[in-house]
Amino acid sequence: MERPGLFADAHASYADSRYVVLGVPFDRTTSFRPGARFGPDSIRQHSWNFETFDLETGVDLADVPIHDLGNAGEFGSAEEMVRSVREEVAPLYADGKIPITLGGDHACAPPCVEAFPAGRPLSVVYLDAHLDFRDSYLGDARSHACSARRIAERVGMENIVVIGVRSASKEEIEAHRKLGLTYISAHEVSREGIDSTVRRALERLRPESIYVSLDIDVVDPAYAGGTGTPEPFGLTSRDIKQVIDTVAPRLVGLDIMEVSPPYDQGNTSALAARLAREAIVRSHLARGQP
Ligand code: MN
Ligand code: MN
């Protein structure tokens, strides 16, 4: 019955599903320590840890139409990965699905946003310890250090808010001032509280369709140390749950990136799996059966 190779409870056919899981085992742009290519399968394995029944909402995941496409194929360069992920994800939006993409380093996120139909308004909540706002990093415009920049170029600078930042270069801060990117630092979240932070972020964004890009390093390494570039003074796992719960009714896509299983005992993979399920449960609760 259990198929540990797939995401838990992903029993629906593609045609019947609303939530479609896709893995992107790519970590070639990682700048500190590699391993995020093992993220998708580790997150899937850990997803089987949880009851299908969600105690908080009463939703049973067994009743929610989820499909798992498996992992996107082999890639050489970041450009190849970007092209391939765009081609995988674009039909999902066209078919009315909500893609849940498991990375992989954060370079895998922009193509998931770029695949969204042009002309349809889209806002992005970008959760990250890092600003990821370099125009290019080590000569690579598709580096994971540039992902917020690429996404902002796609959706418009005013349609993305980065939450949880506690690391940026001087050049990134200058670019943020010049180009008008909005970010809310982890220190602000800590002072202000997550509820007020999310409300403030959502007031800035168009409300229709929201895409969430979750770099797991936004969470404090005390909760999620299994990641490529751990950064202290982060958000709690409960803070991220709160963001997902608030945004879920308007969610059109989610990615969870930078889970790097070699660096912990599985707790970061378990958290990522639980947050993916949280997004699915809350979205399903808001929308009802498809
Ligand atoms: Mn990132
Ligand atoms: Mn990061």
Side-chain angles (χ1 to χ4, degrees):
M1 180 65 182
E2 284 197 6
R3 298 161 71 194
L6 296 179
F7 197 78
D9 307 308
H11 301 304
S13 68
Y14 177 81
D16 291 340
S17 65
R18 177 187 281 142
Y19 306 95
V20 176
V21 177
L22 172 69
V24 187
F26 175 94
D27 64 6
R28 204 157 291 178
T29 84
T30 303
S31 43
F32 182 49
R33 51 185 200 184
R37 65 183 178 278
F38 303 115
D41 287 343
S42 180
I43 295 168
R44 286 187 178 101
Q45 266 167 25
H46 283 83
S47 68
W48 292 94
N49 172 45
F50 306 109
E51 295 286 356
T52 64
F53 182 70
D54 182 67
L55 180 63
E56 200 181 10
T57 59
V59 171
D60 198 317
L61 265 298
D63 302 328
V64 180
I66 308 168
H67 183 76
D68 188 342
L69 284 173
N71 290 337
E74 304 269 306
F75 334 98
S77 64
E79 286 74 24
E80 263 175 61
M81 178 277 293
V82 163
R83 242 191 333 271
S84 164
V85 170
R86 259 196 228 137
E87 281 167 18
E88 290 269 2
V89 175
L92 306 187
Y93 294 123
D95 294 340
K97 315 295 185 192
I98 297 182
I100 312 278
T101 311
L102 309 175
D105 73 39
H106 215 169
C108 306
C112 302
V113 174
E114 290 159 1
F116 194 76
R120 265 177 69 192
L122 181 64
S123 297
V124 175
V125 173
Y126 192 98
L127 299 157
D128 207 313
H130 310 91
L131 200 56
D132 289 357
F133 203 58
R134 288 177 156 93
D135 194 28
S136 148
Y137 187 63
L138 305 176
D140 186 1
R142 283 296 178 176
S143 163
H144 73 156
C146 309
S147 292
R149 183 83 167 247
R150 297 292 87 81
I151 288 176
E153 287 168 352
R154 169 64 177 78
V155 300
M157 208 58 70
E158 66 284 10
N159 298 317
I160 173 172
V161 175
V162 185
I163 299 176
V165 178
R166 50 206 186 269
S167 169
S169 67
K170 205 169 150 195
E171 292 72 25
E172 284 176 286
I173 293 302
E174 279 161 10
H176 131 79
R177 290 208 185 99
K178 189 161 148 246
L179 300 174
L181 175 80
T182 300
Y183 78 87
I184 301 173
S185 75
H187 315 299
E188 287 173 81
V189 175
S190 164
R191 281 195 299 272
E192 182 181 339
I194 193 67
D195 286 338
S196 159
T197 303
V198 181
R199 220 174 309 122
R200 186 151 69 88
L202 290 181
E203 275 164 15
R204 291 196 61 94
L205 297 172
R206 294 175 302 198
E208 302 92 338
S209 301
I210 296 183
Y211 182 95
V212 175
S213 184
L214 168 57
D215 181 332
I216 203 71
D217 71 27
V218 72
V219 182
D220 194 273
Y223 303 89
T227 192
T229 44
E231 192 69 47
F233 307 125
L235 277 60
T236 66
S237 34
R238 187 164 284 280
D239 286 338
I240 304 305
K241 176 186 185 301
Q242 188 60 34
V243 175
I244 285 175
D245 289 355
T246 307
V247 170
R250 291 177 260 166
L251 189 75
V252 295
L254 166 72
D255 65 64
I256 304 184
M257 300 292 168
E258 302 281 0
V259 172
S260 195
Y263 303 105
D264 73 357
Q265 303 299 320
N267 36 323
T268 307
S269 299
L271 175 62
R274 186 64 187 75
L275 289 171
R277 287 166 70 89
E278 185 76 18
I280 292 170
V281 162
R282 292 286 173 164
S283 164
H284 179 80
L285 191 69
R287 287 165 163 248
Q289 288 291 346

